[in-house]
Amino acid sequence: YAKNKGKNHFKFYSKQMNKNHNFQAEKEIELFNAIKNDEFIIHFQPEIDLKTNKVFALEVLSRWKKNNKVVMPNDFISDLDNTNHIIEFEKQILIKACKQLKLWQDRDIYNGVISINISGKHLETGDLYKLVVDVLKSHKLEAKYLELEFNEYDVMKISTKTLFTLNNLSVLGVSLSIDNFGKGFSSFNYLRECSISKLKIDKSYIDSLTKENNDEDIVKSIIDLGINMGLSVIAEGIEVPLQDEIIKKNSCTKVQGFFYAKPMDSKEFEHWYKNFNQLNIKA
Ligand code: C2E
Ligand code: MG
Ligand code: MG
């Protein structure tokens, strides 16, 4: 009886595993086709300096237009990352973003930095330096208009080859930024070694600021760390004025969040930016 049960058990697991395997394979094909059929679009979310009241960067956030529905990045980035398609995908996003920036520059609409999220997989296994050089060149864009964001976790476990890539990008004039900072429990060594110029304080810390037992001390420490190292520090995920007040009190003036602006498509951004600039002229 026991033997029998064991056998059935085995059968059950193997069926399940097979199912999972097929599911993964299907997902991979679906993503591959989505890249091939150009189903990804980009949105832009402003990063604002409250001291100057200027948009100093636009973060590029991708979305998947799948049969008239919009799929958010948290539902496909990790799947892309598990395949090698993330490299082709990020190439597509970089090209789209550069094309849009060039259009905005030519039409005198927006002439600032665009910031692209890059996965650790791409950084480690792709040829990011060559890609960036090629894409900037073909779009006639200067490197100073491009910023790349990496998750702290990905930069922590960096190899010598990758360190070289980051330093080359920095010498080229591209800015490098650490996203979701504070979640990677890292040593701070890499901040110097990797030519980082910006820290984005993880949203969970900013979220906590509205609560009673909040992480203001951590937020303050990150801001101080950034300032002391000559880095620019931005608080991401600002949703209410109280969060704004607290970070300003702690000498951080750079913000990104729904309170100021949600991610927008190019037309929405143009409209928003025109208003934003007009308000500034009046103020
Ligand atoms: P992230 O790079 O940390 O981007 C910030 C995320 O927080 C965005 O979510 C943005 O919409 C959201 N956000 C900004 N302000 C607020 C706020 O005030 N409240 C709330 N609740 N959320 C806010 P999104 O667009 O869903 O992107 C999620 C993550 O997916 C990004 O986090 C990024 O890690 C990843 N991602 C998006 N596009 C790309 C891409 O092209 N390549 C790669 N590798 N990753 C991407
Ligand atoms: Mg980001
Ligand atoms: Mg972030």
Side-chain angles (χ1 to χ4, degrees):
Y1 173 73
K3 207 174 159 196
N4 228 341
K5 194 180 167 196
K7 229 178 174 178
N8 281 340
H9 244 84
F10 175 73
K11 227 171 166 178
F12 171 74
Y13 279 118
S14 84
K15 245 189 200 161
Q16 194 63 23
M17 273 158 66
N18 216 344
K19 231 181 178 170
N20 285 343
H21 184 79
N22 286 341
F23 186 61
Q24 286 306 329
E26 265 168 41
K27 259 205 257 184
E28 181 174 350
I29 293 171
E30 211 186 2
L31 285 167
F32 175 78
N33 285 331
I35 296 171
K36 204 180 66 190
N37 300 332
D38 200 19
E39 291 171 16
F40 294 99
I41 58 163
I42 50 177
H43 280 190
F44 304 88
Q45 189 180 23
E47 297 184 356
I48 300 166
D49 190 340
L50 299 173
K51 215 158 53 187
T52 56
N53 255 327
K54 287 215 163 84
V55 171
F56 66 92
L58 274 185
E59 178 170 12
V60 175
L61 295 161
S62 55
R63 273 94 183 90
W64 179 6
K65 277 219 153 152
K66 187 181 175 190
N67 314 320
N68 293 322
K69 266 192 274 171
V70 177
V71 185
M72 299 300 278
N74 285 338
D75 294 327
F76 63 80
I77 292 290
S78 64
D79 289 327
L80 274 172
D81 213 46
N82 290 334
T83 69
N84 282 324
H85 302 325
I86 189 81
I87 296 177
E88 189 57 32
F89 163 81
E90 283 176 349
K91 175 181 174 186
Q92 226 179 49
I93 298 297
L94 179 68
I95 291 174
K96 279 182 207 285
C98 286
K99 202 182 259 174
Q100 182 61 66
L101 178 62
K102 189 69 192 163
L103 276 174
W104 279 333
Q105 287 185 344
D106 290 347
R107 288 161 54 210
D108 225 358
I109 291 177
Y110 174 76
N111 189 24
V113 171
I114 48 168
S115 188
I116 317 264
N117 292 286
I118 300 289
S119 82
K121 177 86 157 263
H122 192 170
L123 181 62
E124 276 294 330
T125 65
D127 194 346
L128 189 60
Y129 181 76
K130 183 176 183 306
L131 173 69
V132 165
V133 169
D134 289 350
V135 173
L136 287 175
K137 194 171 163 211
S138 62
H139 290 83
K140 300 193 176 63
L141 279 174
E142 287 175 66
K144 67 173 183 189
Y145 293 111
L146 183 64
E147 176 175 295
L148 301 175
E149 293 184 13
F150 305 94
N151 271 306
E152 185 180 27
Y153 179 74
D154 293 323
V155 179
M156 257 164 60
K157 46 178 190 183
I158 214 160
S159 67
T160 320
K161 175 191 152 238
T162 309
L163 198 62
F164 194 66
T165 304
L166 288 179
N167 286 330
N168 283 341
L169 284 165
S170 168
V171 169
L172 186 70
V174 172
S175 313
L176 307 176
S177 151
I178 298 295
D179 209 351
N180 309 317
F181 183 80
K183 284 279 121 169
F185 17 75
S186 56
S187 84
F188 296 136
N189 253 343
Y190 75 91
L191 288 178
R192 231 181 280 283
E193 284 173 358
C194 299
S195 325
I196 298 302
S197 62
K198 183 162 117 191
L199 302 181
K200 302 185 87 169
I201 305 173
D202 191 80
K203 184 174 169 301
S204 60
Y205 295 124
I206 305 301
D207 281 345
S208 90
L209 294 180
T210 55
K211 299 180 185 110
E212 211 170 312
N213 275 321
N214 69 25
D215 295 331
E216 181 173 348
D217 45 356
I218 296 180
V219 171
K220 183 181 185 326
S221 306
I222 295 176
I223 296 169
D224 289 346
L225 174 77
I227 293 175
N228 290 337
M229 292 189 72
L231 308 175
S232 121
V233 181
I234 178 167
E236 67 177 338
I238 299 275
E239 291 178 344
V240 294
L242 177 63
Q243 293 166 325
D244 219 81
E245 266 166 46
I246 297 176
I247 63 125
K248 266 198 279 193
K249 189 180 87 196
N250 288 296
S251 317
C252 171
T253 62
K254 297 195 168 82
V255 292
Q256 178 187 30
F258 292 174
F259 180 60
Y260 289 96
K262 291 201 166 173
M264 298 166 272
D265 67 26
S266 58
K267 283 279 160 291
E268 287 166 337
F269 169 71
E270 286 174 22
H271 188 74
W272 177 89
Y273 195 48
K274 208 167 138 190
N275 274 332
F276 179 82
N277 284 331
Q278 263 161 10
L279 282 174
N280 268 341
I281 292 166
K282 278 186 206 140

